Amino acid sequence: MENFVYETPTKVYFGKGEEQNVGKIIAGFTPKKVLVHFGGQSARKSGLLDRVEKALEAEGIAYVELGGVTANPELKLVREGIALCQREGVDFVLAVGGGSVLDSSKDIANGVANPDIDVWDFSLGKCVPQKTLHKGAILTLAAAGSEMSNSCVITNTETNEKRGYGCSCNRMDFAVENPELTYTVSPYQTACGIVDIAMHTIERYFCPGEDTYLTDAIAEAVIKNVMKAGKDCLADPENYEARANMMWASSLAHNGLTGCGRKTQLVVHQLEHEVSGMYTQVAHGAGLAALWCSWARYVYKANINRWLQYAQNVWNVDVDFEHPEKTIETAINMQEAFYASIGMPTNLKMLGVKETDLEMLAFKCSRGKTRTLIGYKELAYDDILEVFRMAYDV
């Protein structure tokens, strides 16, 4: 087991009606003014923003609002948010939405607190924020896990780059998680969430590391249960228990718990960021579904025993000891069939990716052929390109 630091400072308020207490929660931070950050009009039409405003007003908390966050949160709106906060004297950011809103809020909070640094430099890895504003979240979509993670992913539409960075400043002070707020999430976005949640843990499962059987057991439970809960959500969108289990899985899958003791880099996420960075209409979860199986087929021979464990413990495939590769291929095929069954794409063509863009995607992912992605099988430029080609032709 590798050395690790496990940090989960985010306080979670989970359950029905918890968003109505957000005013009292924020009052504990004694803010001068709050930025309420959100996405589209659904937050207003659902009545959620009205409830948030009333909760803040009941505590005498001043606020300003900024909407417009898109599925892949954009740097230009982050910059707009930073400028708004500076003009208005904002010292607390409240995200109302899914992972895109939360990530945009994190970047705004970091940008305001570090005014002498270009906020995009954080995403490029040129520097790390040393301080941030207090911030919290009211979650409306179970998917990204940003409510408890230390990560932030932003898209620069001027350069078609989607970049993520991790640091303790990205941790939310609190997260309000009411599963009822996800009842109206569309089947497609629910399915994208299923993929993203599971993938946060699946990718950690295949990062280098040995003798992590407790972490493995937790990871396997998260993977299996989110797929079950997700299917139940698709069958009955207002199934509270299913929505609750999916929402809690979202938080556990990406707060670091399911990777303790392993060297973590979410490799398929790195591949997908290039796809949705170039094709901004691509939903993150859909991009992951289109890529994962091809990546799996390319790398599994580097650690047969690890993949056999996954096949047996997650997909309940009996091990064929004479032909172990067939066992693994069966499990990968089962996962691919699961994606198809929930309406997810299983190749890049289905997302509208052009074959002529594959080399550029690989070039960007390898940072101009200078970066190698970690794993039992490391991926340099040529490997990354081959995975993209496999995912295109599958």
Side-chain angles (χ1 to χ4, degrees), residues 9-327:
T10 304
K11 187 172 184 177
V12 176
Y13 298 85
F14 194 100
K16 298 179 180 180
E18 286 293 336
E19 73 278 6
Q20 296 178 42
N21 299 319
V22 72
K24 292 183 175 63
I25 296 169
I26 293 178
F29 295 90
T30 61
K32 295 177 182 177
K33 187 174 284 189
V34 173
L35 172 68
V36 179
H37 199 31
F38 59 97
Q41 290 304 308
S42 60
R44 177 68 67 189
K45 292 177 181 177
S46 68
L48 176 57
L49 277 181
D50 292 335
R51 296 198 297 278
V52 170
E53 290 165 356
K54 288 179 181 178
L56 294 175
E57 290 164 3
E59 299 298 322
I61 299 172
Y63 61 88
V64 292
E65 297 179 340
L66 178 64
V69 181
T70 57
N72 291 301
E74 297 179 1
L75 176 63
K76 61 183 179 182
L77 187 64
V78 168
R79 295 195 191 282
E80 183 180 337
I82 292 171
L84 175 62
C85 290
Q86 291 171 335
R87 287 196 308 270
E88 295 287 338
V90 166
D91 57 355
F92 192 103
V93 180
L94 176 64
V96 181
S100 295
V101 176
L102 273 61
D103 281 6
S104 186
S105 297
K106 291 177 180 183
D107 218 29
I108 290 172
N110 293 338
V112 174
N114 300 272
D116 297 327
I117 299 173
D118 181 1
V119 71
W120 183 237
D121 284 348
F122 299 142
S123 295
L124 294 178
K126 292 183 178 180
C127 54
V128 177
Q130 299 302 307
K131 51 188 176 179
T132 189
L133 300 186
H134 284 299
K135 53 191 171 291
I138 298 177
L139 192 62
T140 64
L141 176 66
S146 187
E147 65 276 6
M148 286 190 76
S149 80
N150 73 342
S151 65
C152 173
V153 181
I154 300 295
T155 298
N156 186 337
T157 54
E158 293 182 359
T159 60
N160 289 328
E161 291 177 292
K162 183 176 181 179
R163 296 288 179 262
Y165 66 99
C167 66
S168 10
C169 284
N170 286 335
R171 300 280 188 181
M172 290 286 177
D173 289 292
F174 70 84
V176 173
E177 301 188 28
N178 177 359
E180 293 176 313
L181 300 180
T182 65
Y183 284 174
T184 58
V185 175
S186 71
Y188 186 78
Q189 287 300 327
T190 297
C192 287
I194 297 167
V195 176
D196 197 14
I197 295 167
M199 200 63 65
H200 284 144
T201 288
I202 292 170
E203 291 195 60
R204 286 177 167 90
Y205 194 89
F206 290 109
C207 287
E210 304 302 329
D211 301 318
T212 56
Y213 47 81
L214 176 55
T215 297
D216 292 351
I218 296 170
E220 290 157 6
V222 169
I223 296 164
K224 290 189 290 186
N225 280 279
V226 74
M227 290 192 290
K228 178 191 183 307
K231 277 275 197 178
D232 291 344
C233 290
L234 291 172
D236 179 7
E238 297 190 9
N239 181 330
Y240 180 83
E241 296 305 328
R243 289 288 187 184
N245 278 279
M246 185 168 168
M247 181 169 273
W248 188 228
S250 169
S251 296
L252 295 184
H254 203 27
N255 71 1
L257 178 66
T258 60
C260 287
R262 309 192 73 80
K263 292 181 180 178
T264 302
Q265 182 181 51
L266 305 188
V267 173
V268 183
H269 269 68
Q270 297 300 308
L271 300 173
E272 196 287 324
H273 285 171
E274 302 307 330
V275 174
S276 55
M278 183 177 291
Y279 295 85
T280 55
Q281 78 281 5
V282 171
H284 177 55
L288 292 172
L291 286 163
W292 186 84
C293 295
S294 293
W295 168 81
R297 291 178 179 120
Y298 188 74
V299 305
Y300 78 79
K301 292 180 182 178
N303 193 327
I304 293 289
N305 288 337
R306 187 71 180 165
W307 281 87
L308 286 175
Q309 178 178 308
Y310 181 74
Q312 187 174 34
N313 293 355
V314 173
W315 290 103
N316 300 316
V317 180
D318 291 332
V319 176
D320 183 341
F321 291 101
E322 292 186 6
H323 307 285
E325 292 183 9
K326 290 184 178 180
T327 303

